[in-house]
Amino acid sequence: MEGEEKGAAFMRMALSLAARGKGMAHPNPMVGAVVVKGGKVIGKGYHRGPHSPHAEVLALAQAGGDAEGGDLYVTLEPCNHHGRTPPCTEAILRAGIRRVVIAAPDPNPNVAGGGAERLRSQGVLVEVGVLREESEDMNAAYRKYVATGMPLVTVKVAATADGKAAARGGRSRWITGEAARRLAHAMRRESDAVLVGRGTVDADDPELTVRMVPLRGARPPLRVVVDSRLSLSLKSRLAQGGEPRVIVATTEGHDAGKAEALRERGVEVLALPGDEAGRVDLRELLAALGRREVAHLLVEGGPTLVSALFRLGLVDRLSLFVAGKVFGDSEARSWVEGAVVEDPSQALRLKWRRSRRLGDDLLLEADVACGWEDPGEKAHSAKVKDGGR
């Protein structure tokens, strides 16, 4: 038992190191590594992002010749292929490591068990599964990205205790306090892109930059606006372009003059297929962002965009900041709306992950199981099935 507890402690250290790569590693995974010999840590490392050395290589370099006969604790299965960097398995073998303890296997098909098998084939003791859940949770965005090519979608919402995202006239600054807003900026720093709808631009004229927290080596997230009719005001802050890059997602056939004006300012105008209502196809947008190596997308949009994403089952996680305030105004907009729920069984399901207090506010975090069950859509599907011959 004592050995197991020590092993878990070393893996927690590796996970803590991995977390330092937040906002830097994407689209690669966050990985931490610790070299242990004689019960003491002699080398540590974490992955800082594409083209930079992997955590195992850094930890082994720090340990130097003392690594021979030691143990390596690493939060993700070492790679066994030539990608942007050489295989980590070769560095481990050259160092003479006796045992490798892995938190989680790598879901990347280029790795997928090959790293562990390569080490075993050369006589290295390999153990997999120590604090696996923690490692997989940390790299949820990477896991979804390598499996689907689509980003993990986190919806961030600030609302009153009665669920209102803005006052009757549309004003939302500031529902939550400074501590909540600071954490929201940290969430931006840890994301690859931030998404809003044109309505949010009209109401708040946001910059969508990281301001209240230091970047600490993180790459500023792309700024993305969904604007189906390309009606974005050229006077808005996002329409000025600059860094980080702004992408306006729209549909075909709109104001060519405005599109050219935006492009001249460095704004990317991304024309995508429209859905049945003529709005940007959000699935196509997520796929396009995935092709731009966006592994984690933070959505800060208003009720229209948020509700559409939920309705399509495209939301993976919810971060709900709840202020200690009540509007009590039926005309004020809720943070999500538009569904028809005739029975509680039709509710969108959340799986609560954790909660914490931020000054006078609360942060509730949840995984999202799927979208709403739409009785009309269900009936339509049944008709197609019965009469589709």
Side-chain angles (χ1 to χ4, degrees), residues 154-156 184 188 194-197 200 208 298-302 305-306:
T154 296
V155 166
K156 180 195 76 65
R188 285 183 184 175
V194 181
L195 177 70
V196 297
T200 295
L208 302 184
L298 181 66
V299 179
E300 296 191 12
L305 177 60
V306 167

Side-chain angles (χ1 to χ4, degrees), residues 147-214:
T148 68
M150 306 269 273
L152 183 88
V153 177
T154 296
V155 166
K156 180 195 76 65
V157 173
T160 60
D162 55 337
K164 303 301 181 181
R168 182 183 292 218
R171 294 184 60 186
S172 60
R173 296 183 176 179
W174 296 106
I175 286 178
T176 53
E178 185 174 339
R181 297 199 300 275
R182 186 178 296 109
L183 181 57
H185 277 265
M187 292 174 66
R188 285 183 184 175
R189 178 182 63 199
E190 295 165 9
S191 303
D192 298 315
V194 181
L195 177 70
V196 297
R198 196 258 309 154
T200 295
V201 177
D202 290 348
D204 298 335
D205 194 19
E207 294 180 74
L208 302 184
T209 54
V210 177
R211 297 187 301 280
M212 296 183 73
V213 294

Side-chain angles (χ1 to χ4, degrees), residues 115-146:
E117 285 306 310
R118 168 66 175 156
L119 294 172
R120 287 191 181 105
S121 72
Q122 297 301 305
V124 178
L125 300 174
V126 178
E127 181 181 350
V128 181
V130 176
L131 301 186
R132 175 172 179 164
E133 186 175 341
E134 289 88 336
S135 175
E136 290 184 340
D137 182 66
M138 172 180 288
N139 282 310
Y142 168 74
R143 296 180 64 80
K144 181 180 179 184
Y145 181 70
V146 298

Side-chain angles (χ1 to χ4, degrees), residues 36-111:
V36 178
K37 191 172 184 180
K40 295 182 179 180
V41 175
I42 61 172
K44 298 185 292 186
Y46 69 94
H47 185 48
R48 291 170 171 81
H51 306 291
S52 64
H54 286 189
E56 303 95 313
V57 173
L58 292 170
L60 291 168
Q62 190 178 96
D66 292 336
E68 186 172 359
D71 297 343
L72 174 68
Y73 289 80
V74 60
T75 59
L76 196 69
E77 180 182 1
C79 63
N80 188 45
H81 68 285
H82 283 272
R84 288 166 167 154
T85 58
C88 289
T89 51
E90 297 308 313
I92 294 168
L93 293 171
R94 283 196 305 272
I97 287 292
R98 177 187 71 91
R99 183 172 72 119
V100 175
V101 182
I102 300 167
D106 194 325
N108 187 331
N110 290 325
V111 181

Side-chain angles (χ1 to χ4, degrees), residues 335-378:
W335 66 267
V336 65
E337 56 193 22
V340 177
V341 176
E342 298 173 348
D343 185 273
S345 64
Q346 296 170 335
L348 185 146
R349 302 292 179 136
L350 303 176
K351 181 180 179 182
W352 296 115
R353 292 163 46 80
R354 53 181 169 256
S355 64
R356 54 176 148 162
R357 185 168 178 171
L358 299 164
D360 294 329
D361 307 316
L362 292 175
L363 171 60
L364 306 176
E365 296 177 285
D367 289 324
V368 181
C370 58
W372 281 287
E373 180 182 339
D374 186 337
E377 186 66 27
K378 190 174 182 180

